[in-house]
């Protein structure tokens, strides 16, 4: 299938470019200026020239703290831009695969969120992504939206790379242990999308293949638990690692508030698309192999 991917150098886009062709798909991946989500004319032109059979939106404004002071830009990309791209897909009756976030939730629920749980974002990024979900669903009835979380990969900016950098620079690192969720590796997310595409391409509007799905890695942890696993993996690959301490959100003030419990229940994507959450510890190991090299000791 010929797939247009919005985004080219982001974490997810890079993995889609690498993985979709393995399933026989042809990928055209474009980002600004060729495909700028804030420029309707560039969207029109990119879709016309690529003439795809499906469109995936892997482009987004993802700077959570900066979004607090760049509300207009966050909404232009994540809400209005996503909606315009979904509409361009709808105009050609193409399926649209979009990505959203655990940050659409407040994190106050006290239990993992299922796909129908009430949203209530704590910050501008989450608000803009929630507005994007609504814009996409309104613009194109053949849309599937995957809410995921804590995305990491060997490319781009992410928590794994931040921890490895801090580990090199400092003797000690402190990470919040009271925010719960689950890491998701971009490669696993790209594989899930590859698996969904044929069904989405064949399904008519109204089919259960469309709608909102949750997909993160498993098992659930905290940012501190994730940092522990990252440093254990780095140590097993012969790297010097810092002392890691557990702190609370109150000890680590940030411009944006983040959900205390953003765990996502991932049942629907298993029931409808046969996709199971991947074990993020194995994906982390592959990511560290790519970033550092293979393991030299048992961890
Ligand atoms: N990263 C995470 O932890 C999580 C991400 N998500 C969602 O997953 C999806 C993929 O995220 P991820 O790959 O990590 O994101 P990245 O930040 O790695 O990549 C986003 C890409 O979008 C591009 N982009 C930004 N603005 C525009 C624009 N106006 N037009 C076209 N392209 C633009 C960026 O380009 P440039 O670098 O030039 O700005 C970048 O290449 C997004 O929808 C995100 O919201 C969900 C949960 C967690
Ligand atoms: C760097 C660092 C962060 N933290 C905390 C801050 C925050 O609560 C948590 C994660 O920090 P980050 O800023 O790396 O992560 P953040 O940018 O909040 O990551 C989010 O990105 C967006 C795009 C999403 O959609 C979310 O799912 C999520 O992945 O760890 C520490 O406690 N110590 C540290 O040294
Ligand atoms: Mg960040």
């Amino acid at each position: 299938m010929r797939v247009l991917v919005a985004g080219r150098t982001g974490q997810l886009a890079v993995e889609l470019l690498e993985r979709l062709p393995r399933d026989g798909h042809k990928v055209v991946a474009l980002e600004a200026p060729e495909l700028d989500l804030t420029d309707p004319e560039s969207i029109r032109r990119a879709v016309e020239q690529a003439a795809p059979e499906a469109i995936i939106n892997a482009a987004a404004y993802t700077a959570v703290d900066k979004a607090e002071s760049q509300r207009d830009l966050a909404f232009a990309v994540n809400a209005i831009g996503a909606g315009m791209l979904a509409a361009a897909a709808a105009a050609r009756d193409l399926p649209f695969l979009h990505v959203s976030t655990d940050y659409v939730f407040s994190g106050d629920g006290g239990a993992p969120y299922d796909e129908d749980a009430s949203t209530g974002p704590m910050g501008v990024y989450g608000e803009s992504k929630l507005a994007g979900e609504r814009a996409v669903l309104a613009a194109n009835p053949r849309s599937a939206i995957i809410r995921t979380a804590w995305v990491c990969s060997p490319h781009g900016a992410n928590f794994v790379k931040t921890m490895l950098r801090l580990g090199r620079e400092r003797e000690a690192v402190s990470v919040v242990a009271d925010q719960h969720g689950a890491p998701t590796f971009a490669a696993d997310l790209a594989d899930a999308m590859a698996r969904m595409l044929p069904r989405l391409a064949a399904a008519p509007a109204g089919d259960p293949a469309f709608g909102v799905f949750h997909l993160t890695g498993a098992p659930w942890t905290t940012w501190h638990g994730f940092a522990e696993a990252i440093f254990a993996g780095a140590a097993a690959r012969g790297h010097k690692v810092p002392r890691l301490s557990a702190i609370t959100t109150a000890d680590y003030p940030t411009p944006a508030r983040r959900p205390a419990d953003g765990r996502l229940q991932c049942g629907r994507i298993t029931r409808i698309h046969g996709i199971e959450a991947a074990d993020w510890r194995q994906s982390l190991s592959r990511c560290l192999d790519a970033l550092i090299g293979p393991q030299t000791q048992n961890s």
Side-chain angles (χ1 to χ4, degrees):
M1 192 182 315
R2 205 172 152 78
V3 184
L4 174 63
V5 173
R8 191 172 59 80
T9 56
Q11 299 191 82
L12 176 60
V14 166
E15 297 295 342
L16 288 168
L17 264 169
E18 183 171 324
R19 287 168 180 266
L20 293 187
R22 294 183 195 168
D23 284 6
H25 302 297
K26 285 213 170 67
V27 182
V28 180
L30 299 173
E31 64 186 28
E34 287 77 23
L35 200 178
D36 181 341
L37 288 181
T38 65
D39 173 6
E41 179 54 26
S42 78
I43 294 176
R44 195 197 58 72
R45 210 179 320 114
V47 174
E48 189 179 299
Q49 286 176 5
E53 295 156 276
I55 299 181
I56 299 179
N57 185 18
Y61 179 104
T62 56
V64 175
D65 286 319
K66 255 197 189 164
E68 296 298 311
S69 52
Q70 294 197 314
R71 187 183 181 86
D72 290 351
L73 181 57
F75 271 77
V77 178
N78 292 345
I80 300 167
M84 288 193 297
L85 189 62
R92 294 173 167 248
D93 193 25
L94 302 178
F96 187 68
L97 190 41
H98 180 66
V99 192
S100 189
T101 171
D102 55 331
Y103 284 20
V104 299
F105 292 113
S106 70
D108 298 336
Y113 290 103
D114 69 27
E115 293 81 355
D116 299 320
S118 306
T119 51
M122 310 271 286
V124 170
Y125 166 74
E127 281 179 56
S128 71
K129 293 295 292 184
L130 179 60
E133 291 184 6
R134 291 176 176 157
V136 162
L137 292 171
N140 189 340
R142 296 182 69 214
S143 295
I145 300 176
I146 301 179
R147 288 193 191 124
T148 188
W150 303 15
V151 174
C152 295
S153 85
H155 316 279
N158 60 63
F159 191 77
V160 172
K161 290 172 76 177
T162 303
M163 286 300 119
L164 293 179
R165 177 175 49 77
L166 293 180
R168 282 192 301 272
E169 293 170 357
R170 300 185 190 169
E171 292 301 316
V173 173
S174 304
V175 176
V176 297
D178 57 356
Q179 291 174 26
H180 300 259
T184 310
F185 281 80
D188 296 324
L189 191 55
D191 283 345
M193 291 183 149
R195 177 142 184 200
M196 290 168 77
L197 276 176
R199 167 102 183 260
L200 297 180
D207 192 277
F210 300 112
V212 175
F213 300 89
H214 289 175
L215 185 65
T216 65
W220 290 314
T221 184
T222 64
W223 288 108
H224 175 267
F226 188 24
E228 245 174 358
I230 294 164
F231 290 130
R237 287 166 179 78
H239 268 222
K240 171 186 93 66
V241 294
R243 234 172 25 256
L244 174 66
S245 47
I247 54 172
T248 66
T249 299
D251 299 324
Y252 197 90
T254 52
R257 290 174 68 200
R258 289 159 169 82
D261 186 351
R263 290 176 297 161
L264 302 180
Q265 197 80 255
C266 302
R268 183 178 287 163
I269 201 163
T270 308
R271 287 193 301 278
I272 308 250
H273 289 285
I275 293 164
E276 305 267 359
D279 187 326
W280 60 261
R281 296 165 298 191
Q282 289 167 21
S283 308
L284 170 63
S285 182
R286 283 189 289 271
C287 180
L288 293 175
D289 287 346
L291 286 168
I292 305 178
Q295 196 159 317
T296 53
Q297 298 155 236
N298 292 327
S299 52

